[in-house]
Amino acid sequence: MLKRRIVIYRKQHWFFTMRMEKSPGLMQRLMQGSLVTQIMIGLIAGIALAWFSKEGAHSVSLLGTLFVSALKAVAPLLVMVLVISSIANHQHGSKTSIRPIVILYLLSTFCAAVVAVVFSHLLPQTLTLSDANQQIVPPSGILEVLNGLLMSMVANPFDALMHANYIGILVWAIGLGFAFRHSSDTTRTFLNDASNAVTSLVRLVIRFAPLGIFGLVASILATTGFSALWDYAHLLGLLLGCMLLMALVFNPLLVYWKIRRNPYPLVFTCLRESGVTAFFTRSSAANIPVNMALAKKLGLDEDTYSVSIPVGANISMAGASITITVLTLAAVNTLGIQVDVSTAILLSLVASICACGASGVAGGSLLLIPVACNMFGIPNEVAMQVVAVGFIIGVLQDSAETALNSSADILFTAAACMADQRQEEQQRA
């Protein structure tokens, strides 16, 4: 009888051991599961919690705050280490695609301003202007914006890291990267190991995106309820419509121009895996680690994307260009100012320059609206009322703008890398 119990016990032990070996644990399943699926679950759960319990939604806001803070904390270090390591370990003679990517960034930003001008003319918007927010001081003109960018470039590197000044970080990282190219093999190996270590930390942070987005969505819906957006639904609809056109029509056209095949599988991948996260974090800088991870998943050249994605977070600003143009022309229409073709083209150029400088100005694209308004002689007091309107609709406007900007960074990087691969295949054939 005792022997029989021992045999049964051994069989049970063997069965449960084999089952544990075959089925991964909960943590392993979470780490290996589809991040996009988990994010969508977090999104739906956040909406449901805000709908049924506002108190419960406010209580989980800490999850969203922690996630965004962690991304913002690790992103500057990641950019600095990756760019230094990429340039220092770059092999002489190997090809990168930085120049065509930058051209795509700038073309997209200018094209977005033109789209905004055209549709603002077809669907003119007016504003109900109220008291201006006098506490916010915008830049006085393009020269001040450019001056701010130049000062950011020569900022102290430690200060740039502490305050997430990505322009300063990029300048120092590029300079140090070229300097380290003349260092010993041991030093370059250390830089590569440091890059891998920081990248591992970033992957860990990104895996908590579903929890972070759950907290962000629940707290935002519980706080705003989107009720304030209804009065400006027509203006918000124009903004979002222009951004959708850029994301689904004009950006794919630019990608097709580079890769000469159907661009939409790549476009939808970038929107799904980069744009969704950027929509809720509302920070192109915080989304840099997400784009880096997607670039690696797509098998892109690390020497290229480790530089192009941080650069794109500063100059790929199609969404900001749309925001500046649409709100400026809304103010122009409200005041009854006539706009001719040449002025519209000049506005597109000014909006593009301002958009590229948005990352160097506290407050982002909204605070650069007065710069564009100065073209039409609109007083700063009136321009600041337009900025105040922008803050009212900023819940969705800023989210959609960031999603367009950040997803375009990885989209154009992937397009340029794929174009290079196609050329190499043609040369071998």
Side-chain angles (χ1 to χ4, degrees):
M1 188 71 178
L2 180 60
K3 289 183 179 180
R4 184 179 178 185
R5 289 181 179 178
I6 292 174
V7 170
I8 293 173
Y9 171 77
R10 286 177 176 174
K11 287 182 178 179
Q12 290 176 344
H13 177 72
W14 175 84
F15 173 77
F16 285 114
T17 302
M18 293 297 293
R19 187 173 181 181
M20 290 296 291
E21 289 177 354
K22 290 181 179 179
S23 59
L26 176 61
M27 183 59 67
Q28 188 177 357
R29 287 200 301 271
L30 289 175
M31 294 299 289
Q32 294 179 351
S34 171
L35 184 61
V36 175
T37 302
Q38 294 172 7
I39 287 175
M40 294 307 297
I41 293 173
L43 171 62
I44 295 170
I47 294 173
L49 181 61
W51 179 269
F52 291 108
S53 174
K54 288 189 175 182
E55 292 183 2
H58 286 301
S59 66
V60 299
S61 63
L62 180 61
L63 293 174
T65 304
L66 285 174
F67 173 65
V68 175
S69 297
L71 275 180
K72 289 183 177 180
V74 76
L77 181 62
L78 174 71
V79 171
M80 174 72 86
V81 173
L82 273 182
V83 173
I84 292 175
S85 175
S86 177
I87 296 176
N89 288 285
H90 177 67
Q91 299 295 324
H92 292 281
S94 59
K95 186 179 179 181
T96 58
S97 306
I98 301 299
R99 183 180 298 176
I101 294 172
V102 172
I103 291 173
L104 287 171
Y105 288 160
L106 297 178
L107 280 175
S108 175
T109 301
F110 178 71
C111 181
V114 174
V115 168
V117 168
V118 171
F119 281 89
S120 292
H121 177 71
L122 295 175
L123 302 169
Q125 303 294 316
T126 56
L127 305 173
T128 303
L129 301 178
S130 57
D131 293 334
N133 188 345
Q134 300 294 336
Q135 297 179 347
I136 303 174
V137 181
S140 59
I142 292 181
L143 289 178
E144 186 174 339
V145 174
L146 296 176
N147 181 68
L149 291 175
L150 290 174
M151 295 306 296
S152 296
M153 292 172 66
V154 296
N156 181 288
F158 297 102
D159 183 74
L161 281 170
M162 289 177 61
H163 295 94
N165 170 14
Y166 285 92
I167 296 174
I169 291 171
L170 280 173
V171 170
W172 280 102
I174 292 170
L176 287 172
F178 279 109
F180 277 120
R181 291 184 73 171
H182 304 287
S183 61
S184 64
D185 292 339
T186 305
T187 302
R188 290 200 295 269
T189 301
F190 167 76
L191 290 173
N192 188 55
D193 291 341
S195 173
N196 292 334
V198 176
T199 303
S200 298
L201 286 176
V202 169
R203 288 200 194 102
L204 181 62
V205 172
I206 291 173
R207 292 307 308 188
F208 286 94
L211 287 176
I213 287 176
F214 165 67
L216 283 171
V217 172
S219 60
I220 289 173
L221 288 179
T223 302
T224 65
F226 297 108
S227 58
L229 302 178
W230 182 250
D231 293 337
Y232 292 99
H234 54 292
L235 178 63
L236 185 60
L238 178 60
L239 283 166
L240 298 182
C242 290
M243 292 178 190
L244 280 173
L245 273 174
M246 281 304 302
L248 300 177
V249 178
F250 293 99
N251 281 353
L253 285 174
L254 289 173
V255 173
Y256 175 77
W257 172 58
K258 290 297 293 183
I259 65 176
R260 301 297 179 183
R261 64 173 184 264
N262 182 9
Y264 284 99
L266 178 61
V267 169
F268 290 137
T269 297
C270 294
L271 287 174
R272 183 178 66 249
E273 301 200 20
S274 173
V276 170
T277 308
F279 184 90
F280 294 108
T281 59
R282 297 168 66 181
S283 170
S284 294
N287 211 48
I288 287 175
V290 177
N291 283 342
M292 293 283 193
L294 179 55
K296 185 167 186 178
K297 180 180 177 181
L298 293 173
L300 306 183
D301 178 42
E302 187 172 356
D303 287 343
T304 298
Y305 73 73
S306 60
V307 177
S308 67
I309 288 177
V311 169
N314 289 278
I315 67 171
S316 177
M317 292 289 174
S321 184
I322 289 170
T323 298
I324 293 168
T325 304
V326 168
L327 288 175
T328 298
L329 289 178
V332 167
N333 291 330
T334 302
L335 298 174
I337 301 172
Q338 297 298 318
V339 180
D340 56 20
V341 176
S342 59
T343 306
I345 294 173
L346 182 59
L347 173 61
S348 300
L349 288 171
V350 171
S352 301
I353 295 171
C354 290
C356 291
S359 60
V361 178
S365 59
L366 291 177
L367 288 187
L368 291 167
I369 291 171
V371 178
C373 286
N374 282 344
M375 283 182 52
F376 302 95
I378 298 175
N380 193 57
E381 293 77 13
V382 177
M384 287 312 300
Q385 296 179 43
V386 182
V387 175
V389 171
F391 280 118
I392 293 174
I393 61 175
V395 174
L396 281 180
Q397 170 268 325
D398 190 38
S399 296
E401 176 184 313
T402 307
L404 174 60
N405 292 342
S406 192
S407 62
D409 298 348
I410 180 63
L411 175 66
F412 292 137
T413 297
C417 291
M418 290 178 179
D420 283 346
Q421 292 175 1
R422 180 173 61 88
Q423 289 178 357
E424 291 175 359
E425 291 172 358
Q426 289 177 349
Q427 290 174 358
R428 286 196 297 266

